[in-house]
Amino acid sequence: MNNNVLVILGNGYDVAQGFPSRYKDFYDGSTDLKVYANNGNKLCKHIIDTYNSEDTQWSDLEEGLYFFSLQLTKKNGEGNKAVAERFKNEFNELRSALFNYIHTIGQKSKLVESQNAVMGLSVEWMTVKPQYLTFNYSTVTLGMASGIDRTFWNADDSINPERFVYQHGSVYNSMKAGVNPSDSIVLGIDEAEQKVEQLHSFLYKSQQKLSNLRMAMELIDHKSLYIIYGCSVGDSDAMYFKRIFSQKHKEYIIYYYNDTALKQIKSNIGKMCGSYAQFEIDNNINYLPISDVVITRNKTNAILHKYI
């Protein structure tokens, strides 16, 4: 295992492999979401009505939770226990709908040609045996990242937390060879950037069943190279990205989808670290487009060679 390299994975890692795990896919494919909305869940209806577009990301869904909370407080006043209790129940139903959808696509998705490019990068990453920090919920992420590398697993077939950290939980419990309860995944907002009233604090990710937060922060601090794939670097995970992008004398490989996405990533990084210009001065940044498969893989290999 390489203690100098950390791979950070977001939902874009699964999306790039052809798995229908975008928010748009969740909206179109989740029967539970529609049932809850039709049965009076105002939060689910708000999410469907407001965030149904091709460009919507998971960070937009979580931002929707934040604004819905603000709307409730503005309409009903702060400290309304009945409203907060209903909101909490609706939130739990939304999370349950998401959990069930992710579990379903993990079971039914098939391998597609688009996976080849991502698999190629995964093979390059594996040459330095890095540690992984993922914000995904699916076992697809672990399976594709690890390939046949058994060091991702303990002798009892549980996931090795020294190699692979599901910071927001997962739908599958490897130790029990079964599905986790739906509240085992983290969905919500980052209290550092998105403040809500106390009765709505169940939305804060820090108050849900996170993996060890201190361990994740130490994991981030002690690395020399950060490889970031499929992360929008938004406010909903600000506590991590502020730490990742507040480093000095470090190296970064950041994969991006297109020029628009790259511009947004740079803007978000600037917000996280305070000054994007200073961030570039203090560190060695490599932006690699996922569309240039051969060139990006070769450049990845050349960078990683320094860490073997």
Side-chain angles (χ1 to χ4, degrees), residues 121-266:
L121 290 175
S122 296
V123 169
E124 301 299 342
W125 302 339
M126 287 169 63
T127 61
V128 295
K129 294 194 176 298
Q131 291 176 283
Y132 290 75
L133 178 68
T134 181
F135 299 108
N136 287 0
Y137 309 120
S138 70
T139 52
V140 169
T141 306
L142 172 60
M144 298 304 292
S146 64
I148 60 173
D149 186 354
R150 279 295 305 175
T151 59
F152 278 72
W153 305 91
N154 295 315
D156 58 7
D157 282 337
S158 60
I159 297 170
N160 181 352
E162 292 187 1
R163 286 294 307 277
F164 202 97
V165 179
Y166 270 101
Q167 192 62 20
H168 286 170
S170 66
V171 298
Y172 187 76
N173 187 318
S174 63
M175 182 65 179
K176 296 181 179 179
V179 180
N180 278 318
S182 61
D183 65 352
S184 66
I185 64 170
V186 174
L187 176 68
I189 62 179
D190 190 310
E191 61 188 292
E193 296 293 325
Q194 301 163 313
K195 299 288 187 183
V196 296
E197 65 165 288
Q198 180 60 36
L199 288 180
H200 297 177
S201 62
F202 56 84
L203 292 178
Y204 291 147
K205 290 182 177 180
S206 62
Q207 295 191 22
Q208 298 178 43
K209 294 180 180 179
L210 286 167
S211 293
N212 190 304
L213 184 57
R214 180 179 178 181
M215 181 185 73
M217 294 306 183
E218 289 180 351
L219 198 63
I220 291 168
D221 288 343
H222 295 152
K223 301 305 176 184
S224 299
L225 171 65
Y226 305 93
I227 300 173
I228 302 172
Y229 193 110
C231 297
S232 59
V233 194
D235 285 345
S236 60
D237 288 311
M239 75 173 87
Y240 303 102
F241 289 117
K242 281 186 174 182
R243 198 69 162 250
I244 291 167
F245 295 117
S246 296
Q247 307 288 326
K248 291 185 178 181
H249 313 301
K250 300 293 182 74
E251 187 164 19
Y252 296 78
I253 298 176
I254 302 174
Y255 299 98
Y256 67 93
Y257 180 69
N258 55 32
D259 290 342
T260 300
L262 176 59
K263 183 178 180 180
Q264 186 62 57
I265 288 172
K266 288 183 176 180

